Amino acid sequence: CYIPSLSNKFVNWDDPPNFLENPNLEVLNAESLKNIFSIDKGAVIGNYNPLPIFTFYVEKWIAGDFDPTLMHTTNLLFHLLTVFFVFRLLLHMKIGMTGAFLGALLFGIHPMRVESVAWVTERKDVLFAAFFFAALMYYVRWIKTEDAAKRTQLYALMLGLAVLALFSKVQAVTLPLSMLALDYWFRRKESFVQLVLEKTPFWILSLVFGLINVYTLRAQGSTNDDVTNFNFLDRLCIGAYSYCVYLYKLVFPFPMSPLYPYPKPLPITVYLAPLAIAGIAYGVWRLWKADNRLAIFGVLFFTFNVMFLLQIVGAGQGYLADRFTYVPYFGFFAVAAGLYDQYASTQKTKSNLNLIFGAFLVVYGIWTVSQIGIWKNGETLWSHVIKYEQKKSSLPYWNRGQYLREQGFFDRAIVDYDQAVAINPKDAEIYNSRGKTHFDMAMSGKYKAQEGTLVQKAVSDYTAALANGADKMKPKTKSEILVNRGVAMAAQNKFDAALKDINEGIALDSTNKNGYFNRSLVYYNTQQYDKAIVDYTIYLRYDPNNANVWYEKGMLL
């Protein structure tokens, strides 16, 4: 099912900041390796998950650059390893061989896995899950082992796996809760307090890594809700709605999209979701009273592992994500495996169950292969989002435009940027991107006799970007736009205006290396060679391995 993923490319959806443009991966040395694990320098878009970034480091070291085939292969291998530990865990839970095989296969090829496996950035899912399920497997062994020395060894091994899982993704904080679900499964006789206390090191690890990620998310502004501005009641309803949608998609995973933007205003179904949760809670209570251990375990495991991902505290641009179900769905796959084991006692019921499972597996397998094609590249990805979102959100048009611009399809990129502006005329970033495209068109040599018009369009777009929310704009964003406009001004030989913009941009962000680079070009064109050399020198502090700039500085000298 996943062989098609090996021919996929990268996508412009978090791949650039995670590895393609990650400053810690530009040069492979001891300093960059240290920065990967630094809390302040290693976080990417607010997420502290250094172990996946380290694997990207290793892959670049092996291949000499980022190789999509190698990186997709690594993702698939980690997914296979996770499926193996899921299979072993089901066996340790005393589920029969065939039931465990079918449960693990469901885990492996359910279409909702695709986002975690076929998207290189989500290496963190398949990596943390491998350590997570391995730790749970050894936890079951620890429960069943009576030898004190052996128990100590297993406990130390579990702690090591927990640390690796937490370094891979913060979602692993649910490990001790998942252990409690297994305690229920095995009907352990210890008191609840004893069961909690024996996991003290795991609670401490979860708390520490949870706080680290809260810190890094806040530092990056990823927990701000400036766009949606939902109140706490709205957020509770969104969480309830997301929970219900994940349950529904367990059986019928449609639609699947890389992005589920918040609808504005929220539909009535979101506000009715708490009623559905109340109904689910009543059903679970009835199952609890009936001592239906299998069903209760499934609900507990799912709930424990999805509850921190329900967007009750907003983080991200969507209220759902297919990848969030990668680990939580195990609870229900265990239920399916257990039911097979329970009812396949006679040949007739076994044959019927084989037909049912077979039908689901065939459908899910075909669906998975189809879904993998969506992640082929940036164009296929955002075209798929647009198919469902239509003109509700500017983001997919903007991102598809970004991909088309990078591939040199400037005219098609402009069409997408125009649509994005029509949907959201107050977004400075869209104007900035369209301006860069107009400027690239002017510099490409493909649009003879149109260069002057295109440069002026770029200047107009940068000016529009600065006029849209400049007071609320982050300094780095405003700095980039000012420098871009300065470059376009310089292309019109308006060197004084260009210097004014670039100087202001550098004043806003003293680390804007492109500001120094482009100002040096302005100085060069105005015969201010000493100042150009100074800017090249500053630039090289931020990018010391840029051979071209060393060469240009030498020519200036």
Side-chain angles (χ1 to χ4, degrees):
C1 287
Y2 276 94
I3 286 174
S5 72
L6 304 184
S7 61
N8 282 5
K9 305 303 179 185
F10 302 133
V11 295
N12 57 330
W13 184 229
D14 290 356
D15 280 358
N18 273 279
F19 55 92
L20 293 173
E21 298 170 4
N22 189 329
N24 296 330
L25 298 176
E26 285 180 4
V27 181
L28 307 183
N29 55 29
E31 181 67 20
S32 59
L33 198 57
K34 183 177 76 174
N35 288 342
I36 286 171
F37 287 89
S38 164
I39 293 173
D40 290 317
K41 296 181 180 179
V44 180
I45 325 177
N47 295 302
Y48 181 69
N49 40 260
L51 204 54
I53 307 299
F54 171 70
T55 64
F56 299 148
Y57 178 104
V58 173
E59 285 167 321
K60 185 176 182 182
W61 178 76
I62 291 170
D65 202 352
F66 297 115
D67 183 326
T69 302
L70 172 63
M71 297 175 85
H72 281 294
T73 301
T74 304
N75 270 30
L76 178 52
L77 290 173
F78 278 122
H79 179 55
L80 290 170
L81 185 62
T82 302
V83 173
F84 169 75
F85 283 123
V86 164
F87 174 63
R88 296 293 300 167
L89 176 58
L90 290 171
L91 289 176
H92 277 65
M93 292 168 66
K94 298 301 181 184
I95 291 173
M97 179 65 75
T98 307
F101 174 82
L102 292 171
L105 194 54
L106 267 174
F107 182 98
I109 67 171
H110 192 282
M112 293 283 276
R113 325 279 81 191
V114 170
E115 186 166 293
S116 296
V117 185
W119 182 14
V120 172
T121 283
E122 280 311 301
R123 169 77 52 82
K124 50 195 171 190
D125 272 348
V126 291
L127 189 60
F128 111 80
F131 298 126
F132 189 91
F133 284 110
L136 291 180
M137 183 190 75
Y138 285 114
Y139 178 67
V140 176
R141 288 192 186 178
W142 180 81
I143 290 173
K144 296 177 179 178
T145 301
E146 295 182 359
D147 181 83
K150 185 68 174 175
R151 282 172 66 87
T152 301
Q153 291 173 7
L154 288 170
Y155 202 90
L157 179 57
M158 288 188 290
L159 281 173
L161 290 167
V163 170
L164 291 171
L166 287 161
F167 269 122
S168 301
K169 192 173 184 180
V170 68
Q171 196 177 337
V173 297
T174 59
L175 181 62
L177 289 170
S178 302
M179 290 173 170
L180 285 175
L182 284 168
D183 291 337
Y184 170 78
W185 173 264
F186 286 105
R187 302 185 190 277
R188 293 186 64 195
K189 298 189 183 338
E190 291 86 347
S191 71
F192 180 72
V193 173
Q194 286 177 293
L195 294 174
V196 169
L197 289 177
E198 72 183 16
K199 300 170 182 61
T200 298
F202 296 96
W203 297 115
I204 293 171
L205 283 172
S206 293
L207 179 62
V208 169
F209 277 85
L211 290 174
I212 288 171
N213 276 269
V214 168
Y215 167 77
T216 54
L217 284 166
R218 284 182 177 168
Q220 292 280 332
S222 299
T223 56
N224 294 341
D225 198 13
D226 298 334
V227 177
T228 58
N229 291 313
F230 293 126
N231 60 43
F232 185 64
L233 179 61
D234 291 334
R235 283 285 174 192
L236 285 175
C237 292
I238 288 169
Y241 181 73
S242 299
Y243 187 93
C244 294
V245 171
Y246 290 138
L247 289 177
Y248 149 75
K249 286 193 170 186
L250 172 69
V251 179
F252 188 67
F254 180 86
M256 284 184 291
S257 175
L259 177 68
Y260 301 91
Y262 289 97
K264 292 279 281 189
L266 293 174
I268 187 64
T269 49
V270 171
Y271 292 107
L272 292 176
L275 296 177
I277 293 294
I280 292 168
Y282 175 74
V284 170
W285 178 77
R286 292 293 300 269
L287 289 169
W288 181 282
K289 296 291 285 183
D291 196 28
N292 191 322
R293 183 176 53 138
L294 185 61
I296 294 298
F297 169 80
V299 173
L300 283 176
F301 191 94
F302 172 75
T303 304
F304 286 158
N305 284 283
V306 84
M307 63 186 185
F308 296 121
L309 306 169
L310 296 175
Q311 300 302 304
I312 294 173
V313 177
Q317 301 175 64
Y319 66 100
L320 292 169
D322 296 346
R323 62 188 179 276
F324 288 170
T325 66
Y326 188 72
V327 165
Y329 273 179
F330 167 79
F332 293 121
F333 296 143
V335 171
L339 287 174
Y340 180 92
D341 218 30
Q342 188 175 329
Y343 290 104
S345 53
T346 66
Q347 191 58 44
K348 183 178 180 181
T349 54
K350 187 175 182 178
S351 299
N352 291 337
L353 284 171
N354 286 344
L355 281 174
I356 294 168
F357 268 86
F360 269 103
L361 290 168
V362 168
V363 171
Y364 286 163
I366 294 170
W367 208 332
T368 288
V369 172
S370 174
Q371 190 69 13
I372 287 169
I374 290 161
W375 292 89
K376 185 173 183 62
N377 57 46
E379 183 178 5
T380 56
L381 181 77
W382 296 112
S383 296
H384 180 78
V385 176
I386 289 168
K387 182 171 73 173
Y388 291 111
E389 294 301 319
Q390 298 296 318
K391 297 178 181 179
K392 298 176 190 172
S393 171
S394 62
L395 185 64
Y397 289 98
W398 177 24
N399 279 331
R400 188 170 68 177
Q402 301 281 70
Y403 173 82
L404 292 170
R405 177 173 71 86
E406 290 167 4
Q407 300 300 312
F409 302 120
F410 299 126
D411 293 308
R412 291 172 61 198
I414 291 295
V415 171
D416 273 348
Y417 288 136
D418 288 345
Q419 184 61 67
V421 167
I423 296 169
N424 190 0
K426 295 293 184 182
D427 192 322
E429 293 275 18
I430 301 172
Y431 288 106
N432 183 38
S433 297
R434 190 171 68 178
K436 287 194 283 189
T437 308
H438 281 133
F439 189 78
D440 288 348
M441 292 168 77
M443 298 296 109
S444 68
K446 298 177 182 178
Y447 299 85
K448 300 296 183 183
Q450 299 179 52
E451 289 90 344
T453 303
L454 289 167
V455 171
Q456 184 52 48
K457 284 184 176 181
V459 171
S460 299
D461 274 335
Y462 296 137
T463 302
L466 292 166
N468 281 278
D471 54 330
K472 296 181 180 178
M473 207 177 286
K474 292 180 180 178
K476 282 185 178 292
T477 303
K478 189 174 182 181
S479 171
E480 182 193 340
I481 297 170
L482 281 163
V483 169
N484 288 342
R485 188 171 70 174
V487 173
M489 292 281 196
Q492 296 176 320
N493 294 322
K494 298 176 181 177
F495 295 118
D496 289 338
L499 275 176
K500 182 177 181 297
D501 273 352
I502 296 174
N503 286 337
E504 188 180 345
I506 291 173
L508 282 168
D509 178 15
S510 61
T511 65
N512 188 336
K513 64 181 183 181
N514 290 324
Y516 297 108
F517 176 79
N518 285 295
R519 190 169 67 179
S520 70
L521 296 179
V522 175
Y523 285 142
Y524 173 83
N525 280 283
T526 54
Q527 287 80 51
Q528 300 180 68
Y529 302 128
D530 288 341
K531 290 183 177 180
I533 290 168
V534 170
D535 273 350
Y536 273 140
T537 302
I538 296 171
Y539 174 92
L540 288 167
R541 292 177 195 163
Y542 297 104
D543 191 2
N545 295 281
N546 191 319
N548 289 329
V549 174
W550 280 107
Y551 176 81
E552 292 297 332
K553 183 185 174 187
M555 292 299 289
L556 276 173
L557 288 165

PDB file of all heavy atoms in Angstrom, residues 17 19 91 110 112 162 178 182 196 212 215 227 233 309 330 340 349 354 368 432 454 462 543:
ATOM      1  N   PRO A  17      10.403  24.702   6.934  1.00  0.00           N
ATOM      2  CA  PRO A  17      10.986  25.047   8.237  1.00  0.00           C
ATOM      3  C   PRO A  17      11.555  23.850   8.990  1.00  0.00           C
ATOM      4  O   PRO A  17      12.495  23.997   9.777  1.00  0.00           O
ATOM      5  CB  PRO A  17       9.816  25.664   9.009  1.00  0.00           C
ATOM      6  CG  PRO A  17       8.581  25.163   8.338  1.00  0.00           C
ATOM      7  CD  PRO A  17       8.959  24.997   6.897  1.00  0.00           C
ATOM      8  N   PHE A  19      13.097  21.022   7.706  1.00  0.00           N
ATOM      9  CA  PHE A  19      14.399  20.533   7.249  1.00  0.00           C
ATOM     10  C   PHE A  19      14.953  21.304   6.053  1.00  0.00           C
ATOM     11  O   PHE A  19      16.131  21.670   6.061  1.00  0.00           O
ATOM     12  CB  PHE A  19      14.376  19.020   6.966  1.00  0.00           C
ATOM     13  CG  PHE A  19      13.334  18.544   5.998  1.00  0.00           C
ATOM     14  CD1 PHE A  19      13.607  18.442   4.649  1.00  0.00           C
ATOM     15  CD2 PHE A  19      12.077  18.158   6.444  1.00  0.00           C
ATOM     16  CE1 PHE A  19      12.650  17.982   3.756  1.00  0.00           C
ATOM     17  CE2 PHE A  19      11.112  17.694   5.568  1.00  0.00           C
ATOM     18  CZ  PHE A  19      11.402  17.606   4.213  1.00  0.00           C
ATOM     19  N   LEU A  91      -0.573  -9.214  20.993  1.00  0.00           N
ATOM     20  CA  LEU A  91      -0.302 -10.579  21.438  1.00  0.00           C
ATOM     21  C   LEU A  91      -0.082 -10.623  22.950  1.00  0.00           C
ATOM     22  O   LEU A  91      -0.565 -11.537  23.632  1.00  0.00           O
ATOM     23  CB  LEU A  91       0.919 -11.150  20.709  1.00  0.00           C
ATOM     24  CG  LEU A  91       0.747 -11.476  19.219  1.00  0.00           C
ATOM     25  CD1 LEU A  91       2.069 -11.939  18.629  1.00  0.00           C
ATOM     26  CD2 LEU A  91      -0.326 -12.555  19.013  1.00  0.00           C
ATOM     27  N   HIS A 110      -5.028   1.674   7.552  1.00  0.00           N
ATOM     28  CA  HIS A 110      -6.196   2.562   7.639  1.00  0.00           C
ATOM     29  C   HIS A 110      -5.834   3.892   6.972  1.00  0.00           C
ATOM     30  O   HIS A 110      -4.755   4.441   7.197  1.00  0.00           O
ATOM     31  CB  HIS A 110      -6.575   2.781   9.106  1.00  0.00           C
ATOM     32  CG  HIS A 110      -7.917   3.424   9.286  1.00  0.00           C
ATOM     33  ND1 HIS A 110      -8.127   4.772   9.100  1.00  0.00           N
ATOM     34  CD2 HIS A 110      -9.120   2.908   9.646  1.00  0.00           C
ATOM     35  CE1 HIS A 110      -9.389   5.056   9.341  1.00  0.00           C
ATOM     36  NE2 HIS A 110     -10.025   3.940   9.670  1.00  0.00           N
ATOM     37  N   MET A 112      -6.455   6.895   7.495  1.00  0.00           N
ATOM     38  CA  MET A 112      -6.098   8.027   8.357  1.00  0.00           C
ATOM     39  C   MET A 112      -4.626   7.980   8.795  1.00  0.00           C
ATOM     40  O   MET A 112      -4.137   8.896   9.450  1.00  0.00           O
ATOM     41  CB  MET A 112      -7.014   8.061   9.583  1.00  0.00           C
ATOM     42  CG  MET A 112      -8.465   8.375   9.267  1.00  0.00           C
ATOM     43  SD  MET A 112      -8.788  10.110   8.941  1.00  0.00           S
ATOM     44  CE  MET A 112      -8.979  10.742  10.608  1.00  0.00           C
ATOM     45  N   ALA A 162      10.520   5.938  26.878  1.00  0.00           N
ATOM     46  CA  ALA A 162       9.664   7.106  27.123  1.00  0.00           C
ATOM     47  C   ALA A 162      10.404   8.392  26.776  1.00  0.00           C
ATOM     48  O   ALA A 162       9.833   9.298  26.150  1.00  0.00           O
ATOM     49  CB  ALA A 162       9.210   7.128  28.578  1.00  0.00           C
ATOM     50  N   SER A 178      -1.859   5.812  29.145  1.00  0.00           N
ATOM     51  CA  SER A 178      -2.062   4.584  28.366  1.00  0.00           C
ATOM     52  C   SER A 178      -1.718   3.353  29.197  1.00  0.00           C
ATOM     53  O   SER A 178      -2.354   2.295  29.064  1.00  0.00           O
ATOM     54  CB  SER A 178      -1.209   4.619  27.095  1.00  0.00           C
ATOM     55  OG  SER A 178      -1.531   5.742  26.303  1.00  0.00           O
ATOM     56  N   LEU A 182      -4.035   0.004  30.254  1.00  0.00           N
ATOM     57  CA  LEU A 182      -3.626  -1.401  30.261  1.00  0.00           C
ATOM     58  C   LEU A 182      -3.815  -2.026  31.640  1.00  0.00           C
ATOM     59  O   LEU A 182      -4.134  -3.226  31.754  1.00  0.00           O
ATOM     60  CB  LEU A 182      -2.166  -1.525  29.824  1.00  0.00           C
ATOM     61  CG  LEU A 182      -1.919  -1.366  28.321  1.00  0.00           C
ATOM     62  CD1 LEU A 182      -0.434  -1.215  28.027  1.00  0.00           C
ATOM     63  CD2 LEU A 182      -2.497  -2.551  27.543  1.00  0.00           C
ATOM     64  N   VAL A 196      -1.015   4.699  40.218  1.00  0.00           N
ATOM     65  CA  VAL A 196      -0.533   6.033  39.827  1.00  0.00           C
ATOM     66  C   VAL A 196       0.891   6.253  40.330  1.00  0.00           C
ATOM     67  O   VAL A 196       1.770   6.706  39.586  1.00  0.00           O
ATOM     68  CB  VAL A 196      -1.482   7.135  40.353  1.00  0.00           C
ATOM     69  CG1 VAL A 196      -0.854   8.519  40.179  1.00  0.00           C
ATOM     70  CG2 VAL A 196      -2.831   7.065  39.642  1.00  0.00           C
ATOM     71  N   ILE A 212       8.029  22.171  28.604  1.00  0.00           N
ATOM     72  CA  ILE A 212       8.982  22.631  27.584  1.00  0.00           C
ATOM     73  C   ILE A 212       8.237  23.038  26.316  1.00  0.00           C
ATOM     74  O   ILE A 212       8.497  24.096  25.724  1.00  0.00           O
ATOM     75  CB  ILE A 212      10.021  21.541  27.270  1.00  0.00           C
ATOM     76  CG1 ILE A 212      11.001  21.376  28.427  1.00  0.00           C
ATOM     77  CG2 ILE A 212      10.789  21.870  25.983  1.00  0.00           C
ATOM     78  CD1 ILE A 212      11.928  20.183  28.282  1.00  0.00           C
ATOM     79  N   TYR A 215       6.289  26.217  26.673  1.00  0.00           N
ATOM     80  CA  TYR A 215       7.226  27.345  26.590  1.00  0.00           C
ATOM     81  C   TYR A 215       7.594  27.654  25.136  1.00  0.00           C
ATOM     82  O   TYR A 215       7.548  28.816  24.705  1.00  0.00           O
ATOM     83  CB  TYR A 215       8.487  27.021  27.398  1.00  0.00           C
ATOM     84  CG  TYR A 215       9.641  27.958  27.126  1.00  0.00           C
ATOM     85  CD1 TYR A 215       9.671  29.235  27.675  1.00  0.00           C
ATOM     86  CD2 TYR A 215      10.698  27.556  26.297  1.00  0.00           C
ATOM     87  CE1 TYR A 215      10.731  30.097  27.407  1.00  0.00           C
ATOM     88  CE2 TYR A 215      11.753  28.409  26.029  1.00  0.00           C
ATOM     89  CZ  TYR A 215      11.770  29.676  26.588  1.00  0.00           C
ATOM     90  OH  TYR A 215      12.811  30.524  26.307  1.00  0.00           O
ATOM     91  N   VAL A 227      -6.471  34.964  15.152  1.00  0.00           N
ATOM     92  CA  VAL A 227      -7.213  34.837  13.898  1.00  0.00           C
ATOM     93  C   VAL A 227      -8.677  34.499  14.150  1.00  0.00           C
ATOM     94  O   VAL A 227      -9.584  35.126  13.616  1.00  0.00           O
ATOM     95  CB  VAL A 227      -6.568  33.761  12.993  1.00  0.00           C
ATOM     96  CG1 VAL A 227      -7.381  33.576  11.717  1.00  0.00           C
ATOM     97  CG2 VAL A 227      -5.138  34.153  12.661  1.00  0.00           C
ATOM     98  N   LEU A 233     -16.081  28.754  25.673  1.00  0.00           N
ATOM     99  CA  LEU A 233     -17.243  27.904  25.373  1.00  0.00           C
ATOM    100  C   LEU A 233     -17.164  27.394  23.939  1.00  0.00           C
ATOM    101  O   LEU A 233     -17.420  26.214  23.666  1.00  0.00           O
ATOM    102  CB  LEU A 233     -18.536  28.683  25.599  1.00  0.00           C
ATOM    103  CG  LEU A 233     -19.831  27.918  25.298  1.00  0.00           C
ATOM    104  CD1 LEU A 233     -19.953  26.682  26.191  1.00  0.00           C
ATOM    105  CD2 LEU A 233     -21.047  28.822  25.483  1.00  0.00           C
ATOM    106  N   LEU A 309      -5.395  16.912  21.967  1.00  0.00           N
ATOM    107  CA  LEU A 309      -5.289  17.320  20.562  1.00  0.00           C
ATOM    108  C   LEU A 309      -6.611  17.842  20.009  1.00  0.00           C
ATOM    109  O   LEU A 309      -6.764  17.978  18.797  1.00  0.00           O
ATOM    110  CB  LEU A 309      -4.828  16.118  19.716  1.00  0.00           C
ATOM    111  CG  LEU A 309      -3.547  15.434  20.188  1.00  0.00           C
ATOM    112  CD1 LEU A 309      -3.347  14.126  19.444  1.00  0.00           C
ATOM    113  CD2 LEU A 309      -2.350  16.346  19.977  1.00  0.00           C
ATOM    114  N   PHE A 330      -5.434   3.122  17.973  1.00  0.00           N
ATOM    115  CA  PHE A 330      -5.047   1.785  18.408  1.00  0.00           C
ATOM    116  C   PHE A 330      -6.094   1.192  19.348  1.00  0.00           C
ATOM    117  O   PHE A 330      -6.367  -0.018  19.304  1.00  0.00           O
ATOM    118  CB  PHE A 330      -3.688   1.802  19.115  1.00  0.00           C
ATOM    119  CG  PHE A 330      -3.384   0.516  19.854  1.00  0.00           C
ATOM    120  CD1 PHE A 330      -2.944  -0.598  19.179  1.00  0.00           C
ATOM    121  CD2 PHE A 330      -3.589   0.417  21.236  1.00  0.00           C
ATOM    122  CE1 PHE A 330      -2.691  -1.793  19.849  1.00  0.00           C
ATOM    123  CE2 PHE A 330      -3.339  -0.765  21.918  1.00  0.00           C
ATOM    124  CZ  PHE A 330      -2.887  -1.876  21.226  1.00  0.00           C
ATOM    125  N   TYR A 340     -12.839 -10.073  16.972  1.00  0.00           N
ATOM    126  CA  TYR A 340     -12.571 -11.192  16.063  1.00  0.00           C
ATOM    127  C   TYR A 340     -12.213 -12.436  16.870  1.00  0.00           C
ATOM    128  O   TYR A 340     -12.725 -13.537  16.626  1.00  0.00           O
ATOM    129  CB  TYR A 340     -11.443 -10.839  15.098  1.00  0.00           C
ATOM    130  CG  TYR A 340     -11.128 -11.967  14.136  1.00  0.00           C
ATOM    131  CD1 TYR A 340     -11.745 -12.035  12.896  1.00  0.00           C
ATOM    132  CD2 TYR A 340     -10.226 -12.983  14.488  1.00  0.00           C
ATOM    133  CE1 TYR A 340     -11.474 -13.076  12.022  1.00  0.00           C
ATOM    134  CE2 TYR A 340      -9.957 -14.030  13.624  1.00  0.00           C
ATOM    135  CZ  TYR A 340     -10.583 -14.074  12.396  1.00  0.00           C
ATOM    136  OH  TYR A 340     -10.328 -15.114  11.541  1.00  0.00           O
ATOM    137  N   THR A 349     -18.915 -18.590  11.807  1.00  0.00           N
ATOM    138  CA  THR A 349     -18.723 -17.195  12.213  1.00  0.00           C
ATOM    139  C   THR A 349     -17.329 -16.712  11.800  1.00  0.00           C
ATOM    140  O   THR A 349     -17.151 -15.543  11.457  1.00  0.00           O
ATOM    141  CB  THR A 349     -18.888 -17.028  13.733  1.00  0.00           C
ATOM    142  OG1 THR A 349     -18.009 -17.947  14.407  1.00  0.00           O
ATOM    143  CG2 THR A 349     -20.318 -17.270  14.151  1.00  0.00           C
ATOM    144  N   ASN A 354     -14.079 -13.215   8.521  1.00  0.00           N
ATOM    145  CA  ASN A 354     -13.002 -13.055   7.544  1.00  0.00           C
ATOM    146  C   ASN A 354     -13.468 -12.223   6.346  1.00  0.00           C
ATOM    147  O   ASN A 354     -12.723 -11.386   5.815  1.00  0.00           O
ATOM    148  CB  ASN A 354     -12.502 -14.413   7.061  1.00  0.00           C
ATOM    149  CG  ASN A 354     -11.660 -15.101   8.123  1.00  0.00           C
ATOM    150  OD1 ASN A 354     -11.200 -14.480   9.075  1.00  0.00           O
ATOM    151  ND2 ASN A 354     -11.458 -16.402   7.957  1.00  0.00           N
ATOM    152  N   THR A 368      -6.127   4.095   0.915  1.00  0.00           N
ATOM    153  CA  THR A 368      -4.809   4.567   1.353  1.00  0.00           C
ATOM    154  C   THR A 368      -3.915   4.892   0.167  1.00  0.00           C
ATOM    155  O   THR A 368      -3.262   5.944   0.131  1.00  0.00           O
ATOM    156  CB  THR A 368      -4.145   3.507   2.257  1.00  0.00           C
ATOM    157  OG1 THR A 368      -4.815   3.486   3.512  1.00  0.00           O
ATOM    158  CG2 THR A 368      -2.669   3.808   2.487  1.00  0.00           C
ATOM    159  N   ASN A 432       2.914  40.234  -0.265  1.00  0.00           N
ATOM    160  CA  ASN A 432       4.367  40.071  -0.301  1.00  0.00           C
ATOM    161  C   ASN A 432       4.764  38.956  -1.270  1.00  0.00           C
ATOM    162  O   ASN A 432       5.681  39.119  -2.086  1.00  0.00           O
ATOM    163  CB  ASN A 432       4.879  39.760   1.109  1.00  0.00           C
ATOM    164  CG  ASN A 432       6.394  39.658   1.178  1.00  0.00           C
ATOM    165  OD1 ASN A 432       7.105  40.412   0.522  1.00  0.00           O
ATOM    166  ND2 ASN A 432       6.891  38.727   1.966  1.00  0.00           N
ATOM    167  N   LEU A 454       6.390  44.923 -14.597  1.00  0.00           N
ATOM    168  CA  LEU A 454       6.381  43.889 -13.567  1.00  0.00           C
ATOM    169  C   LEU A 454       7.054  44.368 -12.279  1.00  0.00           C
ATOM    170  O   LEU A 454       6.571  44.087 -11.173  1.00  0.00           O
ATOM    171  CB  LEU A 454       7.072  42.625 -14.080  1.00  0.00           C
ATOM    172  CG  LEU A 454       6.300  41.838 -15.151  1.00  0.00           C
ATOM    173  CD1 LEU A 454       7.191  40.797 -15.817  1.00  0.00           C
ATOM    174  CD2 LEU A 454       5.072  41.159 -14.538  1.00  0.00           C
ATOM    175  N   TYR A 462       4.206  45.250  -2.570  1.00  0.00           N
ATOM    176  CA  TYR A 462       4.905  45.432  -1.283  1.00  0.00           C
ATOM    177  C   TYR A 462       4.306  46.599  -0.505  1.00  0.00           C
ATOM    178  O   TYR A 462       4.152  46.532   0.720  1.00  0.00           O
ATOM    179  CB  TYR A 462       6.398  45.666  -1.518  1.00  0.00           C
ATOM    180  CG  TYR A 462       7.123  44.496  -2.140  1.00  0.00           C
ATOM    181  CD1 TYR A 462       8.055  44.688  -3.157  1.00  0.00           C
ATOM    182  CD2 TYR A 462       6.874  43.187  -1.718  1.00  0.00           C
ATOM    183  CE1 TYR A 462       8.729  43.614  -3.726  1.00  0.00           C
ATOM    184  CE2 TYR A 462       7.539  42.117  -2.289  1.00  0.00           C
ATOM    185  CZ  TYR A 462       8.465  42.338  -3.301  1.00  0.00           C
ATOM    186  OH  TYR A 462       9.117  41.271  -3.865  1.00  0.00           O
ATOM    187  N   ASP A 543      25.739  33.676   7.517  1.00  0.00           N
ATOM    188  CA  ASP A 543      25.806  32.597   6.524  1.00  0.00           C
ATOM    189  C   ASP A 543      27.265  32.414   6.107  1.00  0.00           C
ATOM    190  O   ASP A 543      27.656  32.743   4.985  1.00  0.00           O
ATOM    191  CB  ASP A 543      24.936  32.965   5.318  1.00  0.00           C
ATOM    192  CG  ASP A 543      24.740  31.789   4.379  1.00  0.00           C
ATOM    193  OD1 ASP A 543      25.253  30.694   4.681  1.00  0.00           O
ATOM    194  OD2 ASP A 543      24.074  31.954   3.338  1.00  0.00           O
TER     195      ASP A 543
END
